[in-house]
Amino acid sequence: MIQYALRLKRIFGWNLIPLWWVRENGECACGDLHLKDPTKKGKHPIVRWTKYREERVTDSDIKGWWGQYPNANIGVITGKISNLSWYRDWETDRRAH
């Protein structure tokens, strides 16, 4: 996943952060049951991300995060920093059809 995240950063210039993932037993890897909002399972940031709306993520950040959390999903900070004004949740979209 580290190489994939680095490639996305290099090719598209996206600012990426690690997101929690869903374990095989269906639970979020963060340990929260997400009873109030089950859609957050495996889709919320592992790191404090707000500073990355204006600060660029480095290759070292990516290597450190995915080195520590190799199963982490990839989140893209939308907005000016990544030149993206939209997003799509592929898993939720896929489940809805």
Side-chain angles (χ1 to χ4, degrees):
M1 197 63 93
I2 290 173
Q3 295 305 318
Y4 190 61
L6 289 169
R7 197 172 322 137
L8 288 172
K9 178 183 171 283
R10 181 176 30 94
I11 293 171
F12 297 107
W14 292 345
N15 231 24
L16 308 173
I17 56 168
L19 305 178
W20 291 106
W21 62 97
V22 177
R23 294 186 173 133
E24 287 185 27
N25 64 5
E27 294 178 1
C28 186
C30 76
D32 190 318
L33 297 177
H34 299 290
L35 297 175
K36 290 183 182 177
D37 187 0
T39 63
K40 287 190 173 190
K41 251 189 228 183
K43 296 180 183 174
H44 56 101
I46 293 173
V47 299
R48 293 181 185 220
W49 65 274
T50 54
K51 72 178 187 177
Y52 296 111
R53 288 184 288 191
E54 298 190 14
E55 184 180 312
R56 298 302 272 157
V57 169
T58 66
D59 289 1
S60 294
D61 291 329
I62 290 173
K63 289 174 185 176
W65 292 332
W66 274 275
Q68 185 174 358
Y69 303 102
N71 296 319
N73 288 318
I74 297 174
V76 180
I77 303 292
T78 57
K80 191 174 187 176
I81 193 89
S82 293
N83 198 30
L84 286 174
S85 59
W86 59 271
Y87 79 96
R88 182 168 187 171
D89 182 344
W90 294 102
E91 285 185 30
T92 301
D93 290 349
R94 193 175 27 192
R95 279 184 258 151
H97 299 288

